[in-house]
Amino acid sequence: MAATGVEAAFRMLEGRWKMVIIFHLFDRAVLRFSELERAIPGVSQKMLIQQLRDLERDGIVERVVYPQVPPKVEYRLTPWGQAMCPALDALLEWAAHRPPPKAGPAPCAD
């Protein structure tokens, strides 16, 4: 049963840019699309839109459109998305204590 929950959670967070987007929203709370684009220079506009749509569909990110010209669109974490913060902090703490990589096998001497 736990494996099913983990699979569902990973499915919501899979994608090269989703965690990066989430961390930027933790840091700044509210970001416009153009600010996210500048903050993540390696992501294409198409991919950023797709990742944000996925996060919105899954209830992690909220998209707010202001009816003005030009349109203003802001993204923020939902309360449920913000609830991830302790889990992500724990993950970062765990990663920070990674033991040094083990040495590989010694090369063969001829």
Side-chain angles (χ1 to χ4, degrees), residues 51-101:
Q51 300 280 277
L52 285 165
R53 283 183 182 158
D54 289 349
L55 289 166
E56 184 181 9
R57 179 199 64 224
D58 290 332
I60 297 168
V61 168
E62 177 185 17
R63 178 178 185 255
V64 179
V65 180
Y66 296 93
Q68 64 186 51
V69 178
K72 178 180 172 183
V73 180
E74 292 180 341
Y75 295 90
R76 63 181 50 93
L77 293 172
T78 63
W80 188 63
Q82 292 172 0
M84 266 193 289
C85 191
L88 295 178
D89 283 344
L91 182 63
L92 289 172
E93 182 69 23
W94 171 78
H97 291 89
R98 177 182 179 198

